[in-house]
Amino acid sequence: MKAHDGIYIGGAWRPAAGPDVIEVVNPADEQVIATVPAGTAEDVDTAVRAARAAFPAWAATPPAERAARLAALRDVLVARKDEIAETVTAELGSPLAFSQTVHAGVPIAVAGSYADLAATYAFEERVGNSTVLHEPVGVVGAITPWNYPLHQIVAKVAPALAAGCTVVLKPAEDTPLTAQLFAEAVHEAGIPAGVFNLVTGLGPVAGQALAEHPDVDLVSFTGSTAVGKQIGAVAGAAVKRVALELGGKSANVILPSADLAKAVNVGVANVMSNSGQTCSAWTRMLVHRDQYDEAVRLAAAAAAKYGERIGPVVNARQQARVRGYIEKGIAEGARLVAGGPGSPREQGYFVSPTVFADVTPDMTVAQEEIFGPVLSVLRYEDEEDALRIANGTVYGLAGAVWAGDEAEAVAFARRMDTGQVDINGGRFNPLAPFGGYKQSGVGRELGTHGLAEYLQTKSLQF
């Protein structure tokens, strides 16, 4: 797609208030492919005012009509699926096949799910002698990351619109072209002017202005825990609602009765997916001591197959960050069995698929989110030790359990302090709530739980 040289506010593309631009770089070849406006606090204020003006009419729009607009949006995304995939590949570096199936396919499914929910959700219910109303919160400030650029946008904007809220979106500066394409789709779907607004810009400028704006009723943010804490502090001072989907260091627990080869191979694939840039990736593989050596051998062999199959990380800063973690793992005594800090290619922000063995729970690579294709394999003594290690980080976003008996896996999963657990490789469900325990966030996305984040409750007593 051709980049817009403006921002989308009030149903139209308009010039930004300032002259500054953001260069969009293809991480596979390090070439500048486009520029977009670097929106200012003034632009954010204009967008919020447009969203506020559009809110009463959109909130009053019958849910069935909101559902029809969301269904139209889904249909536009379907029609432009190839363009979406090509755009994500150009600005994120994702292999095209992965962009088509995941980066384009998953958001389409999520958009469709909210078209259905908007038509069927009980926005009004009778409880005893009361009528309980579920009403839209108001203006939503959505701040999204670069790792799944369209999915993260749709996972916030679609439920907000289904609820009757209006939205101002500030997308990640690394992947603004996908956000511009989404704005085009919103326009083509006939969603009324001002209901959705887009301001491209830098986090410390446009993102901060959006989080702090007094006329934003809820901030929905996906990104690092450090930034999430800052947004939470700002929102708390204003008694403003937040939905925060933050970091993760998820455990993949392989119990002795599991199919070891399958569990290891799927676990490695999970970590290498999207070049490791997935907050819910199972970056800690926990294996019983009696099976540990074989698991390490399998993991190293599996990782070696991804050398030419994964794309780059998003930018030079992220590449340096991931390499720094790999170097720290080596310095702290972890044993490198695949990959390493060197780049597998001369050009582009690539990182070698890396596997560490002999990792202890207190090592940096076992505690901090790396956000790259790096797996740590840890040994455990017994089930209680595995549980202690699995729950032994500040995060609690996702995880996995493998066992020969499903009931055994479920029993272990129930004891994990995390928001989502895959049992024996369970499939992604766009209707299931997604979100974290502990410092992995506040609130949930997807399905009815994701819709509820954008609603407030009123009781009428009779």
Side-chain angles (χ1 to χ4, degrees):
M1 66 168 287
K2 182 180 178 181
H4 289 273
D5 58 3
I7 52 182
Y8 185 77
I9 297 178
W13 295 95
R14 51 179 290 164
D20 293 342
V21 298
I22 297 169
E23 292 185 337
V24 184
V25 176
N26 184 329
D29 61 15
E30 304 178 44
Q31 299 300 305
V32 176
I33 58 175
T35 61
V36 300
T40 65
E42 181 181 343
D43 295 316
V44 169
D45 180 65
T46 302
V48 172
R49 285 190 283 111
R52 177 58 62 193
F55 174 67
W58 184 246
T61 299
E65 187 174 335
R66 298 201 297 262
R69 291 303 95 213
L70 284 168
L73 174 61
R74 175 204 57 210
D75 293 345
V76 174
L77 295 176
V78 169
R80 301 183 70 170
K81 184 177 180 180
D82 289 344
E83 185 181 3
I84 292 168
E86 291 165 2
T87 301
V88 174
T89 291
E91 63 181 355
L92 182 63
S94 169
L96 185 59
F98 189 79
S99 293
Q100 290 170 333
T101 56
V102 176
H103 287 295
V106 172
I108 288 170
V110 173
S113 74
Y114 280 113
D116 295 339
L117 275 173
T120 59
Y121 190 83
F123 290 97
E124 182 174 322
E125 58 183 328
R126 190 73 177 178
V127 179
N129 64 305
S130 302
T131 295
V132 179
L133 309 178
H134 302 284
E135 300 179 335
V137 168
V139 174
V140 172
I143 304 174
T144 57
W146 44 261
N147 60 326
Y148 290 90
L150 185 59
H151 170 64
Q152 297 289 356
I153 289 170
V154 171
K156 297 181 187 306
V157 175
L161 299 190
C165 297
T166 55
V167 179
V168 177
L169 169 67
K170 205 298 288 184
E173 49 263 36
D174 290 293
T175 54
L177 303 183
T178 302
Q180 288 191 341
L181 195 157
F182 179 78
E184 292 178 355
V186 165
H187 193 87
E188 189 176 339
I191 291 173
V195 170
F196 171 82
N197 307 273
L198 169 67
V199 178
T200 53
L202 301 176
V205 180
Q208 183 171 339
L210 186 58
E212 293 178 346
H213 200 288
D215 218 16
V216 169
D217 300 295
L218 181 150
V219 179
S220 180
F221 169 79
T222 297
S224 73
T225 296
V227 176
K229 289 178 179 179
Q230 296 173 6
I231 290 174
V234 168
V239 196
K240 181 183 302 186
R241 286 177 57 174
V242 295
L244 305 174
E245 196 264 281
L246 308 175
K249 194 68 183 175
S250 301
N252 179 17
V253 182
I254 304 175
L255 297 176
S257 63
D259 181 333
L260 183 65
K262 181 179 180 180
V264 170
N265 286 324
V266 173
V268 171
N270 175 277
V271 173
M272 302 307 161
S273 177
N274 208 39
S275 302
Q277 300 169 126
T278 303
C279 53
S280 57
W282 311 332
T283 52
R284 296 180 297 143
M285 181 179 289
L286 278 57
V287 185
H288 189 270
R289 63 181 181 180
D290 293 341
Q291 299 174 316
Y292 187 80
D293 291 342
E294 177 64 8
V296 168
R297 185 190 69 77
L298 290 169
K305 298 176 183 178
Y306 285 88
E308 298 298 321
R309 290 165 55 185
I310 65 173
V313 294
V314 70
N315 56 37
R317 183 179 65 256
Q318 186 67 13
Q319 183 189 48
R321 181 177 185 270
V322 176
R323 286 180 177 175
Y325 272 111
I326 296 172
E327 290 168 352
K328 192 156 192 176
I330 295 170
E332 292 183 356
R335 176 164 56 98
L336 194 66
V337 297
S343 176
R345 304 189 192 185
E346 293 184 1
Q347 188 179 42
Y349 307 127
F350 290 88
V351 175
S352 295
T354 297
V355 177
F356 279 116
D358 299 338
V359 177
T360 58
D362 60 329
M363 288 182 179
T364 302
V365 293
Q367 288 292 321
E368 297 185 12
E369 184 176 45
I370 297 173
F371 227 61
V374 181
L375 170 66
S376 295
V377 187
L378 298 88
R379 60 169 55 82
Y380 65 85
E381 297 295 317
D382 54 29
E383 189 170 303
E384 291 305 312
D385 190 37
L387 185 68
R388 176 186 63 82
I389 295 170
N391 289 340
T393 75
V394 298
Y395 298 112
L397 185 57
V401 183
W402 300 79
D405 177 58
E406 184 177 287
E408 180 187 7
V410 169
F412 189 95
R414 288 179 180 275
R415 301 170 69 195
M416 293 175 71
D417 297 334
T418 192
Q420 189 173 79
V421 184
D422 291 347
I423 305 297
N424 289 335
R427 294 180 295 110
F428 172 73
N429 179 3
L431 298 178
F434 178 76
Y437 285 22
K438 300 188 284 188
Q439 292 190 27
S440 285
V442 177
R444 293 294 182 268
E445 293 185 329
L446 305 180
T448 57
H449 293 80
L451 178 58
E453 292 292 331
Y454 300 93
L455 295 168
Q456 55 190 350
T457 305
K458 178 187 294 179
S459 298
L460 307 180
Q461 273 62 253
F462 293 89

